[in-house]
Amino acid sequence: MLIISGFDPSSGAGLIQDVGVATAMGISVYSSVSAFTKQTLEKTYSVKFRGLDEILDEIEIFHDVKVIKIGIVLPELLEKLRKMYKDSIIVWNPVLESSSGYKFLDENDVKKYINYADYVIVNSLEAKKIGISDNMIITGGHDNKDYIEIKYKDRVVTHERINGEFRGTGCVFSTLFSSLLVLDYEPFEAIKRTSEIMVKVLKKSNKRFQVELLSRDWQKWEVLDELNRIILDIMEIGHLTIPEVGQNVSYALPWAENEEQVAKFPGRIRLVFGKPHFLGDATFKGKSHTARMTLEMMKKFPFVRCTTNIRYEERYVEKAKKVGYKVYEHVRKLEPDEVKLKEGQSLRWGIANIIESLEYPPDMIYDKGFWGKEAMIRVFGRNPKEVVEKVKNIIF
């Protein structure tokens, strides 16, 4: 996809936002700046359009262009692009003015060149000024309704209205729509899917469409995949590591703040007839002691995102020290009474107490147990593979 749009230094709209959205959708892009703006998320101060010949000279080397997404440009560029890219789909989002009221384009100039685009995406106010045409997709964010209507020819898509003042929604809508055309979506299906994505992300966004929230989804799959990859390792060594209370391995997302953002195996891994038994593949659902320990460790060492618990063996502790691991003991009897009595807090307290003065993260923290508490070793690392390697190094 070729993207030609303005440069917005606040990154709320324009080329930076367009490229971010397209790449988050898995689309490879070429790009060219059509104009330079001076603006914040709240106000636009000025715009300076680049010359048409300068843009055309820049993009003429790109031949394999399936879709061209255009933002604010001098309208006559559309005619030249159509001659240069006869077989490409052109999507134009001709922004007449910014959300703060700064005028970019004259509606009469836009109207002259509107038929050079295959799809023209405008809001309902812009449609009234330009005049409705068959190639228009009209977004209804400016209409005084409790929901949003998106109209294309005689068909309508509706979705809930998300409260808030958001910059760049037209820019994002047109880029999402263009990306789906690259993926061979039929236009109306592309509108429906774009609408769904917009609602999903805007619910979590603030002031602008935060494309980074969309981009984070791939990391969720990566975390689950990396955790599931060590199942065979645990099947191999589990008879030597799984404690009576069971084992778990937790792997957090980089931004994790709660247990639902930490992947773990459901329930606990237990020995059944001497062999490790898993209740299912890794999931973000449920709770786990190792998830809580991971979150505590990440407060000081955010790159230490994986934790497992294994059975306590004195020889494991000695082997860990021998191979040079940073090993610390958590003494259960030193826990304050208020910590002992609160479920799930003792281990977090123990980790926080140990790492408070450390310059480097621990590889292992062990305890010798206490009344009603099984002795245990906890192993920490950057990812599941590293944690498993540390465990293998101390048990063999």
Side-chain angles (χ1 to χ4, degrees), residues 292-395:
R292 290 191 286 273
M293 286 186 278
T294 303
L295 291 168
E296 196 64 44
M297 186 66 69
M298 288 177 68
K299 289 179 180 178
K300 183 165 185 180
F301 303 108
F303 55 90
V304 181
R305 294 165 43 204
C306 187
T307 307
T308 192
N309 66 304
I310 64 171
R311 77 169 67 150
Y312 175 81
E313 297 276 356
E314 188 174 345
R315 62 190 177 94
Y316 293 168
V317 175
E318 293 306 312
K319 179 70 178 295
K321 292 176 180 178
K322 187 175 180 181
V323 299
Y325 288 148
K326 299 175 184 64
V327 181
Y328 300 87
E329 181 181 3
H330 167 50
V331 182
R332 289 275 195 174
K333 65 182 181 181
L334 298 180
E335 295 171 2
D337 289 339
E338 64 270 18
V339 170
K340 291 178 183 176
L341 295 173
K342 195 168 183 181
E343 175 65 24
Q345 290 304 304
S346 63
L347 294 172
R348 296 189 74 162
W349 177 88
I351 290 173
N353 193 47
I354 288 170
I355 68 175
E356 182 179 11
S357 59
L358 296 183
E359 185 177 355
Y360 302 100
D363 296 295
M364 284 176 46
I365 295 176
Y366 71 93
D367 72 79
K368 296 181 179 179
F370 197 61
W371 181 258
K373 301 289 185 180
E374 183 181 357
M376 199 76 63
I377 296 171
R378 281 90 188 181
V379 183
F380 304 91
R382 293 172 178 80
N383 52 61
K385 182 179 179 181
E386 182 177 287
V387 166
V388 165
E389 288 303 313
K390 287 181 179 180
V391 172
K392 288 181 176 179
N393 286 339
I394 67 173
I395 66 174

Side-chain angles (χ1 to χ4, degrees), residues 19 44 54 58 108 132 153 178 187 206 246 300 312 329:
V19 172
T44 301
E54 189 177 7
E58 198 168 79
N108 293 317
I132 297 172
K153 295 185 177 178
S178 301
N206 180 33
K300 183 165 185 180
Y312 175 81
E329 181 181 3

Side-chain angles (χ1 to χ4, degrees), residues 216-348:
R216 282 181 171 186
D217 281 351
W218 71 265
Q219 294 191 61
K220 293 180 180 179
W221 290 109
E222 181 186 51
V223 162
L224 293 173
D225 184 53
E226 288 191 28
L227 201 46
N228 285 325
R229 285 182 189 175
I230 65 167
I231 289 176
L232 291 179
D233 293 289
I234 295 175
M235 293 298 294
E236 176 191 350
I237 65 175
H239 63 289
L240 299 172
T241 63
I242 296 176
E244 288 184 23
V245 296
Q247 181 182 2
N248 213 322
V249 189
S250 294
Y251 187 29
L253 290 162
W255 56 88
E257 295 180 347
N258 56 60
E259 290 186 66
E260 287 68 37
Q261 293 172 330
V262 183
K264 76 283 287 183
F265 293 106
R268 296 183 183 183
I269 309 162
R270 297 184 184 273
L271 288 176
V272 178
F273 300 114
K275 294 183 178 181
H277 177 71
F278 291 79
L279 294 178
D281 286 345
T283 177
F284 286 103
K285 297 179 181 178
K287 297 184 178 297
S288 167
H289 285 297
T290 54
R292 290 191 286 273
M293 286 186 278
T294 303
L295 291 168
E296 196 64 44
M297 186 66 69
M298 288 177 68
K299 289 179 180 178
K300 183 165 185 180
F301 303 108
F303 55 90
V304 181
R305 294 165 43 204
C306 187
T307 307
T308 192
N309 66 304
I310 64 171
R311 77 169 67 150
Y312 175 81
E313 297 276 356
E314 188 174 345
R315 62 190 177 94
Y316 293 168
V317 175
E318 293 306 312
K319 179 70 178 295
K321 292 176 180 178
K322 187 175 180 181
V323 299
Y325 288 148
K326 299 175 184 64
V327 181
Y328 300 87
E329 181 181 3
H330 167 50
V331 182
R332 289 275 195 174
K333 65 182 181 181
L334 298 180
E335 295 171 2
D337 289 339
E338 64 270 18
V339 170
K340 291 178 183 176
L341 295 173
K342 195 168 183 181
E343 175 65 24
Q345 290 304 304
S346 63
L347 294 172
R348 296 189 74 162

Side-chain angles (χ1 to χ4, degrees), residues 112-147:
K112 291 177 188 176
Y113 296 93
I114 208 164
N115 290 324
Y116 288 105
D118 296 283
Y119 304 98
V120 178
I121 299 176
V122 292
N123 62 47
S124 53
L125 297 180
E126 291 169 330
K128 290 176 183 177
K129 291 179 180 179
I130 298 169
I132 297 172
S133 61
D134 285 344
N135 60 350
M136 270 189 182
I137 297 169
I138 304 170
T139 60
H142 290 78
D143 295 338
N144 188 24
K145 295 181 179 179
D146 294 333
Y147 56 91

